[in-house]
């Protein structure tokens, strides 16, 4: 595309693909409808695992997945909340608010990503680059908010305001006004007087309103319309300044959402088996950490034999089978947690280029536990995964119920592209690839369990955060499938992409401005 000279990458937090395109077709989002009718769009864009703001944003902005970030070409952020066991004693990372060890941990994101990948802004070596409210901003020449004090002010305002919608609208306006001003007065933000060649933009407001009111609420829907309005204002201003016709603008979301009716409580389970949650300051003797547990639970376990009292080795399967003061088998007892239906954990001898992920599923009606495994080989773009399910009557992911996805239950290795093509339309799209990559990251969970959305716990580092019934994290399509639009420049064709992944957006945008992606990029250009 010879006429595209700059790019804008906009992430709207917490938007389901099906709902987004329904709103477009009902003329609720007239400005996004222009991109839908004139540009590139996909109704089946698969996000990362788990379907939570982080790691999904990191994957979207680097074009790569997580893994063994110290050795592989990949990023190092496995979860929104995770535990760093590479140091003794382990510390907690919590990106959402004030962390357990230091304030405003979201500023640690750029460090946590690691050195074996690059952001899209780092891949673009020349020209001015801006990041508006997007904290994954390595390579940016200008970032808003400019100071931590300003960020803390916004956080406290939103947390304590009785009229949160009013301030979220204001944030939407501020984001767009700041972006427009970098085009209108570039010398104010950059060393040169050239408008930015690349800009990142994040609308966080839908996620906040989702957790408060749900995606069908008046508050959520009106905010989506407001984002469409300010987005239209941005298009108008770019056109007036003469930049719209040579600017490719990508609009996507990081994850969808779902609602639950049942809240779980782990207190009885923890007390029964004396599984005391670790905390780096409050309980250093704890030997388990429920790192994050909404509908999916990520659990870190300290084995009996460690290098020292304060160090957490990676556990072996035998440590999970005989664990804690009551020497319980976690691989069976965790299924007694209300709603728990799925379980994943890794084998003892896994390497970066070879390994096995064990899978278990509890059949809801009979209580029978069936097993299977994922076997992976190679790394990066050459990654391949084999899925084996031992039951003849039930499939762990339900792939057997669909003609296309059932083809891959053949005890053979398949590429990420094959998994995408054959599972994008069913629940747990691309899960064999994404789960395998997660378990390669030493910061990830030792055991992952799932209620499949029947029960939610809202736990972070052993502490219940809230009782909101509106959540996201599952592998179901309502969480894992997000919308994608690309428009702006006249040269962009009108085309539907039947399926893609969020890691494909970075190489697609770079292809439009004739820049080669970093070698860590796992996605592919959709054009």
């Amino acid at each position: 595309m010879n006429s595209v000279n700059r790019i804008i990458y906009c992430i709207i937090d917490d938007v389901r693909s099906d709902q987004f395109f329904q709103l477009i077709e009902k003329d609720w989002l007239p400005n996004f409808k222009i991109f839908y009718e004139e540009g590139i769009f996909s109704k089946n864009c698969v996000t990362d695992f788990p379907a939570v703001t982080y790691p999904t944003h990191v994957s979207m902005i680097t074009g790569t997945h997580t893994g063994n970030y110290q050795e592989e070409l990949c990023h190092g952020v496995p979860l929104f909340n995770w535990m760093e066991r590479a140091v003794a004693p382990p510390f907690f990372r919590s990106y959402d608010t004030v962390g357990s060890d230091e304030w405003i941990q979201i500023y640690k994101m750029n460090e946590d990503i690691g050195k074996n990948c690059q952001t899209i802004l780092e891949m673009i070596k020349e020209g001015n680059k801006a990041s508006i409210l997007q904290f994954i901003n390595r390579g940016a020449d200008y970032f808003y908010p400019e100071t931590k004090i300003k960020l803390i002010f916004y956080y406290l305002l939103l947390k304590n305001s009785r009229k949160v919608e009013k301030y979220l609208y204001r944030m939407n306006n501020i984001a767009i006004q700041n972006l427009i001003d970098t085009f209108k007065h570039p010398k104010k933000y950059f060393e040169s007087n050239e408008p930015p060649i690349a800009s990142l933009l994040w609308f966080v407001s839908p996620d906040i309103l989702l957790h408060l009111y749900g995606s069908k609420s008046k508050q959520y829907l009106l905010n989506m319309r407001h984002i469409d309005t300010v987005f239209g204002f941005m298009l108008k201003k770019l056109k007036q300044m003469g930049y719209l016709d040579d600017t490719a603008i990508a609009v996507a979301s990081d994850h969808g959402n779902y609602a639950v009716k049942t809240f779980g409580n782990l207190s009885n389970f923890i007390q029964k088996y004396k599984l005391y949650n670790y905390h780096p300051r409050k309980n250093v003797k704890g030997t388990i950490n429920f790192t994050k547990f909404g509908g999916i639970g990520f659990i870190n376990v300290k084995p009996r034999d460690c290098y020292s009292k304060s160090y957490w080795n990676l556990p072996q399967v035998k440590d999970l089978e005989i664990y804690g003061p009551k020497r319980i088998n976690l691989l069976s007892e965790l299924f007694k947690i209300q709603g728990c239906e799925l379980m994943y954990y890794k084998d003892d001898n896994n390497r970066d280029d070879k390994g096995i992920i064990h899978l278990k599923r509890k059949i809801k009606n009979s209580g029978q536990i069936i097993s299977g495994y994922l076997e992976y080989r190679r790394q990066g773009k050459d990654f391949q995964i084999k899925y084996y399910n031992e039951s003849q009557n039930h499939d762990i992911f339900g792939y057997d119920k669909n003609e296309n996805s059932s083809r891959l239950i053949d005890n053979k290795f398949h590429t990420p592209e094959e998994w995408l093509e054959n599972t994008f339309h069913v629940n747990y799209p691309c899960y064999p690839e994404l789960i395998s990559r997660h378990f390669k990251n030493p910061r990830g969970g030792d055991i992952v369990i799932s209620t499949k959305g029947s029960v939610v716990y809202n736990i972070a580092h052993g502490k219940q955060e809230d009782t909101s019934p509106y959540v996201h994290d599952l592998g179901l399509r309502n969480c894992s499938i997000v919308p994608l639009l690309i428009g702006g420049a006249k040269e962009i064709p009108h085309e539907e992409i039947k399926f893609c992944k969020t890691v494909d957006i970075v190489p697609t945008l770079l292809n439009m401005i004739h820049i080669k992606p970093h070698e860590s990029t796992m996605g592919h250009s959709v054009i």
Side-chain angles (χ1 to χ4, degrees):
M1 292 190 176
N2 297 322
S3 67
V4 178
N5 296 316
R6 64 197 81 255
I7 57 175
I8 296 173
Y9 188 177
C10 172
I11 299 177
I12 307 175
D13 207 303
D14 210 329
V15 182
R16 287 171 52 160
S17 182
D18 57 350
Q19 185 179 28
F20 183 75
F21 286 104
Q22 286 170 9
L23 291 175
I24 284 178
E25 289 165 2
K26 292 177 180 178
D27 293 322
W28 188 261
L29 307 174
N31 294 295
F32 290 128
K33 188 173 185 178
I34 295 172
F35 275 34
Y36 173 56
E37 293 181 338
E38 299 179 3
I40 297 169
F41 71 93
S42 179
K43 296 182 179 181
N44 294 291
C45 187
V46 181
T47 194
D48 210 341
F49 169 85
V52 182
T53 301
Y54 306 113
T56 57
H57 274 237
V58 185
S59 301
M60 294 177 77
I61 292 172
T62 61
T64 191
H65 296 290
T66 195
N68 186 355
Y69 63 97
Q70 296 173 323
E71 304 293 336
E72 292 185 283
L73 291 170
C74 64
H75 72 72
V77 177
L79 295 165
F80 207 117
N81 305 83
W82 49 269
M83 187 179 78
E84 180 60 270
R85 66 201 315 161
V87 298
F91 66 79
F92 288 168
R93 184 68 83 225
S94 302
Y95 294 122
D96 48 355
T97 57
V98 177
S100 56
D101 296 291
E102 52 189 302
W103 282 53
I104 310 298
Q105 292 192 0
I106 198 168
Y107 276 96
K108 293 290 184 179
M109 181 74 65
N110 292 296
E111 176 185 337
D112 295 337
I113 289 172
K115 299 179 180 179
N116 286 330
C117 68
Q118 289 185 353
T119 71
I120 186 174
L121 301 183
E122 290 178 298
M123 298 180 206
I124 301 171
K125 304 304 180 184
E126 298 180 0
N128 295 324
K129 292 160 286 184
S131 182
I132 311 298
L133 294 175
Q134 178 52 259
F135 292 88
I136 306 163
N137 54 38
R138 287 191 337 203
D141 301 294
Y142 169 68
F143 169 59
Y144 180 87
E146 301 89 347
T147 66
K148 289 185 180 181
I149 292 176
K150 189 174 288 188
L151 173 63
I152 293 170
F153 171 76
Y154 281 127
Y155 167 70
L156 293 175
L157 192 65
L158 292 173
K159 187 175 179 63
N160 298 298
S161 174
R162 293 183 179 179
K163 297 182 179 180
V164 65
E165 299 97 308
K166 171 184 174 182
Y167 291 106
L168 288 175
Y169 285 8
R170 184 178 176 186
M171 284 185 67
N172 295 339
N173 285 326
I174 288 173
I176 288 296
Q177 291 289 356
N178 269 267
L179 181 63
I180 292 170
D181 209 43
T182 62
F183 280 81
K184 193 173 183 179
H185 303 108
K187 192 65 177 177
K188 181 179 174 182
Y189 305 95
F190 312 111
E191 291 184 2
S192 69
N193 200 32
E194 292 295 320
I197 186 175
S199 304
L200 300 178
L201 181 63
W202 178 26
F203 289 105
V204 68
S205 54
D207 187 71
I208 296 173
L209 292 172
L210 177 282
H211 289 293
L212 289 173
Y213 307 111
S215 63
K216 296 180 180 179
S217 67
K218 172 184 174 182
Q219 293 89 338
Y220 180 91
L221 294 173
L222 286 176
N223 181 67
M224 285 299 300
R225 171 167 275 187
H226 184 257
I227 290 175
D228 178 83
T229 300
V230 297
F231 183 81
F233 179 74
M234 178 190 74
L235 297 180
K236 177 182 177 181
K237 289 297 181 181
L238 289 175
K239 188 173 183 64
Q240 289 175 353
M241 290 185 283
Y243 294 121
L244 183 60
D245 289 344
D246 72 343
T247 302
I249 304 170
V251 179
S253 189
D254 51 350
H255 56 76
N257 51 73
Y258 64 100
V260 297
K261 296 180 179 179
T262 305
F263 293 96
N265 191 314
L266 288 181
S267 298
N268 291 337
F269 182 85
I270 290 172
Q271 292 171 6
K272 178 180 179 181
Y273 296 117
K274 298 183 178 180
L275 303 177
Y276 301 117
N277 208 84
Y278 167 80
H279 191 281
R281 287 184 288 106
K282 299 177 181 178
N283 187 22
V284 294
K285 293 183 179 180
T287 58
I288 195 168
N289 180 31
F290 286 86
T291 307
K292 187 70 176 177
F293 193 0
I296 298 181
F298 296 83
I299 305 169
N300 293 124
V301 172
K302 183 179 182 180
R304 283 180 174 271
D305 298 322
C306 291
Y307 300 141
S308 67
K309 289 184 178 180
S310 59
Y311 192 85
W312 284 48
N313 291 27
L314 290 170
Q316 296 186 320
V317 174
K318 66 178 182 180
D319 297 311
L320 307 179
E321 293 175 333
I322 305 174
Y323 176 76
K326 295 204 171 185
R327 303 177 71 80
I328 64 170
N329 185 344
L330 286 173
L331 304 182
S332 59
E333 295 303 306
L334 286 171
F335 277 111
K336 295 180 180 178
I337 290 176
Q338 183 184 6
C340 181
E341 292 187 47
L342 294 172
M343 178 185 293
Y344 325 125
Y345 59 96
K346 61 185 175 182
D347 199 53
D348 294 340
N349 302 311
N350 286 7
R351 305 185 323 215
D352 295 340
D353 62 347
K354 184 179 181 181
I356 290 175
I357 309 301
H358 299 283
L359 311 172
K360 291 180 180 293
R361 176 187 168 191
K362 181 180 179 180
I363 305 303
K364 205 167 186 179
N365 295 331
S366 67
Q368 175 192 2
I369 306 295
I370 63 170
S371 299
Y373 65 83
L374 302 172
E375 183 177 355
Y376 65 82
R377 65 184 183 186
R378 303 176 186 169
Q379 302 178 55
K381 287 185 176 180
D382 298 323
F383 202 52
Q384 294 183 345
I385 315 95
K386 176 168 63 177
Y387 171 42
Y388 175 77
N389 183 68
E390 71 175 23
S391 174
Q392 299 297 317
N393 301 315
H394 302 280
D395 181 68
I396 289 171
F397 295 123
Y399 291 161
D400 61 333
K401 294 179 173 60
N402 179 268
E403 181 181 355
N404 288 349
S405 58
S406 63
R407 294 172 186 167
L408 302 191
I409 314 174
D410 57 1
N411 205 28
K412 295 180 181 179
F413 284 98
H414 295 280
T415 65
E417 291 74 30
E418 289 176 296
W419 283 109
L420 171 63
E421 182 179 358
N422 289 281
T423 66
F424 77 89
H425 57 296
V426 297
N427 287 328
Y428 306 103
C430 301
Y431 249 47
E433 176 202 1
L434 302 179
I435 289 174
S436 299
R437 292 192 188 277
H438 173 87
F439 276 104
K440 293 208 285 181
N441 189 333
R443 293 168 169 170
D446 298 324
I447 307 175
V448 178
I449 59 177
S450 174
T451 69
K452 298 173 67 174
S454 62
V455 182
V456 70
Y457 288 85
N458 291 345
I459 288 173
H461 295 307
K463 182 180 179 181
Q464 189 165 33
E465 296 179 298
D466 55 56
T467 56
S468 171
Y470 308 111
V471 287
H472 50 81
D473 59 7
L474 297 178
L476 306 182
R477 281 180 56 83
N478 54 13
C479 288
S480 294
I481 303 299
V482 297
L484 171 63
L485 300 173
I486 304 177
K490 288 184 176 180
E491 198 173 342
I492 294 173
H494 179 51
E495 180 181 357
E496 179 178 5
I497 307 301
K498 186 176 181 181
F499 53 82
C500 61
K501 295 165 69 178
T502 54
V503 293
D504 294 332
I505 301 173
V506 163
T508 300
L509 291 174
L510 292 177
N511 182 34
M512 289 180 170
I513 54 175
H514 309 290
I515 291 178
K516 185 178 180 180
H518 186 255
E519 59 181 336
S520 62
T521 304
M522 297 178 193
H524 304 272
S525 175
V526 301
I527 57 171

